[in-house]
Amino acid sequence: MQEKTNISKKTLFLVEAGIIAAVYVAMTYFSSFLGMAYGPIQFRISEVLNILPVFTPAAIPGLTIGCILGNIGSPMGIVDILLGSLATLLSAVTTYWFRNIKVKNFPILSSFMPVIFNAIIIGAEITFFANEANKGKLFFINAGQIALSEFVMCVVGGFFFYFAILKLNIFKKSE
């Protein structure tokens, strides 16, 4: 009987991770279609999903795999697949770690993790490929632009998405 319960939990974990990955990919490609998925200013609609590790650890592999697949369409190729996915993995893990630090029932620190990691990692990636002389100044500009767009999607968008999930009771706690 105990083994059946473990199989069910593992199956639920895999299903949740797979659905999150698929939704992330679809939303990233939709953002790409709108011209908002790649570059120094990007408003990936899929980034609102970065709040999901607060609800389920299955979001960690789900978001990471979704980012790998979503970045296949990136003009920066394999570098964006690797670095973008690393930023997403680090964001998802730390979002999960800080899920219980809340202000007015919102996991504020968790929502900032994608902003921080993407600003630094993607900001550096974009700067590396730029044909500019002053890479130091350019890094801060790129990191700032990425941070701003991530803030809009992950903190502002994540705020509304988080409370919608709570209201709809999508991720039910197992007894």
Side-chain angles (χ1 to χ4, degrees), residues 20-32 46 66 70:
I20 291 166
V23 171
Y24 187 95
V25 171
M27 292 171 80
T28 298
Y29 283 129
F30 180 72
S31 297
S32 177
S46 52

Side-chain angles (χ1 to χ4, degrees), residues 151-165:
F151 178 85
V152 170
M153 300 313 291
C154 297
V155 180
V156 177
F159 176 86
F160 292 106
F161 188 54
Y162 174 81
F163 285 108
I165 289 171

Side-chain angles (χ1 to χ4, degrees), residues 23-92:
V23 171
Y24 187 95
V25 171
M27 292 171 80
T28 298
Y29 283 129
F30 180 72
S31 297
S32 177
F33 174 74
L34 299 175
M36 303 184 319
Y38 312 106
I41 299 175
Q42 48 185 262
F43 290 94
R44 284 188 183 190
I45 300 164
S46 52
E47 291 297 289
V48 299
L49 300 176
N50 280 309
I51 200 68
L52 292 178
V54 168
F55 296 101
T56 176
I60 297 169
L63 292 169
T64 304
I65 292 166
C67 187
I68 290 167
L69 297 173
N71 281 350
I72 289 173
S74 172
M76 294 195 196
I78 191 71
V79 174
D80 202 21
I81 292 170
L82 296 173
L83 292 180
S85 303
L86 175 64
T88 298
L89 174 62
L90 294 171
S91 298

